[in-house]
Amino acid sequence: MPSAAIPAPPWRAPKKPPAARQPLSAGAVLSTALRLVDRDGLDALSMRRVAQELGTGAASLYAYFANKDELLEQLLDRVIGDIPLPSDAAPDWIAEVKRSCYASRDVFCAHRDLVKVARGSIPIGPNSLRYTEAMLAVLRGAGIPDRIAAWGMDQLSMVIVADAAESAAHAERGHGAEADSAPYLNQIRDYLAALPIDEFPNLVAMAPAMVEGSGDERFSFAIDLMVDGLARHARTDLRDYAHDGGAE
C-alpha cells in the first residue's frame, strides 16, 4: 500500500497555482492585440506575441483572423467604434463636424501609433461604415453636394490620420508634450533665421511663425480651413437640394 505523499523540503518555494487561461475568442484576441499596441507600439505586434499573451499558440489565432493584416483591419475598426457618431440632428452642422474631427483625433492618439494602419487604406469595417454613414448624413443634411461631401470627408480623414500619426512619431522620440519639443523647434527657428537672407528672405523673416503654435492649435487651424471650405458648398435652399437628389 503506497505511503502518504512525501512533503516538499521546507526550503523550496511553494509553487504558484497556474494562471487561468483566458477563453479564446475574436474579442479576446482584439483586446490583447490592442493592449500590446498601447504598451509597446504597432511594430511590436505579431500573431506570435498576441498568442503568447493569451497563453496559446499562434496557430489558434488563425481560426479567427486569416493573417495579421486582417487582425489589424479589425483592430482599427474596433478603435473607430470608440468615436462618438456625429448627429445630423445637431443644430449647428459645422460645429458638429469639427467636434467629431477632434474626437476622432483624440481616439486615435490614445492608442500610440495604431493610426498608421489607416494610412493608404479605406476602413470598411462595421464601425467605420457606421461612422461614415453618420458623417455623410450631416454633410448631405447641410445641403452639400454628394461629390463634395464624399471628397470632403476623405480629406478630413487624411488630415486627422496624418496629425495623429505625426503625434505618435513625436511621442516615440520623446517629444510627446509641447515642452519636450521646444528645444528642437527652437533649433529649427534659429537655423531658418540664419539662412542667407538674399536667397531665403521669406524663411528668414518668418522663422518664428514657421514653428509657433501648439499641435492642438495647428490641428484646429487645419480643420477650420477644411470645414469652412465645405460650408461654401452648402445649399441655402434645401428644396433645390432635394429636387436634384444632392448631385452637384
Side-chain angles (χ1 to χ4, degrees):
M1 187 172 182
S3 59
I6 301 174
W11 57 84
R12 289 186 185 170
K15 291 184 173 63
K16 295 181 180 179
R21 177 176 294 184
Q22 184 176 354
L24 199 59
S25 66
V29 174
L30 288 173
S31 295
T32 302
L34 186 59
R35 187 168 63 249
L36 277 171
V37 171
D38 289 347
R39 187 181 71 203
D40 302 325
L42 186 61
D43 290 343
L45 183 67
S46 69
M47 301 293 269
R48 181 181 60 83
R49 286 284 306 277
V50 174
Q52 288 176 343
E53 291 282 325
L54 287 166
T56 186
S60 62
L61 272 57
Y62 293 101
Y64 304 96
F65 304 94
N67 49 44
K68 181 181 174 182
D69 287 342
E70 185 177 306
L71 172 63
L72 289 174
E73 177 184 313
Q74 294 194 34
L75 188 60
L76 178 66
D77 191 67
R78 173 167 174 159
V79 167
I80 290 174
D82 292 336
I83 304 171
L85 294 178
S87 171
D88 60 347
D92 184 343
W93 75 266
I94 291 178
E96 182 69 359
V97 170
K98 291 181 180 181
R99 180 202 62 78
S100 187
C101 290
Y102 303 145
S104 299
R105 176 183 181 243
D106 289 344
V107 167
F108 286 136
C109 287
H111 298 287
R112 291 189 62 155
D113 57 344
L114 176 65
V115 71
K116 291 191 295 187
V117 177
R119 296 189 303 191
S121 65
I122 301 176
I124 55 172
N127 290 323
S128 303
L129 293 176
R130 292 185 189 101
Y131 181 84
T132 300
E133 176 68 20
M135 181 61 84
L136 290 176
V138 173
L139 297 176
R140 297 185 82 213
I144 295 176
D146 287 355
R147 185 171 68 173
I148 301 300
W151 288 7
M153 181 169 181
D154 176 60
Q155 294 303 305
L156 283 169
S157 298
M158 290 179 66
V159 169
I160 294 166
V161 167
D163 188 272
E166 184 175 80
S167 296
H170 286 316
E172 288 294 322
R173 293 196 293 267
H175 298 160
E178 300 290 344
D180 297 329
S181 59
Y184 170 71
L185 294 177
N186 290 339
Q187 285 182 323
I188 295 295
R189 179 201 61 204
D190 294 344
Y191 174 75
L192 295 176
L195 290 170
I197 194 169
D198 56 333
E199 188 174 359
F200 304 102
N202 294 300
L203 281 173
V204 171
M206 295 178 57
M210 295 295 289
V211 299
E212 71 183 7
S214 67
D216 289 344
E217 289 172 326
R218 285 174 173 251
F219 179 75
S220 179
F221 172 75
I223 296 301
D224 284 351
L225 279 180
M226 299 194 71
V227 177
D228 292 348
L230 281 173
R232 291 175 46 236
H233 298 275
R235 303 285 178 89
T236 55
D237 188 342
L238 295 185
R239 290 173 299 177
D240 292 342
Y241 173 71
H243 178 72
D244 65 19
E248 190 175 25

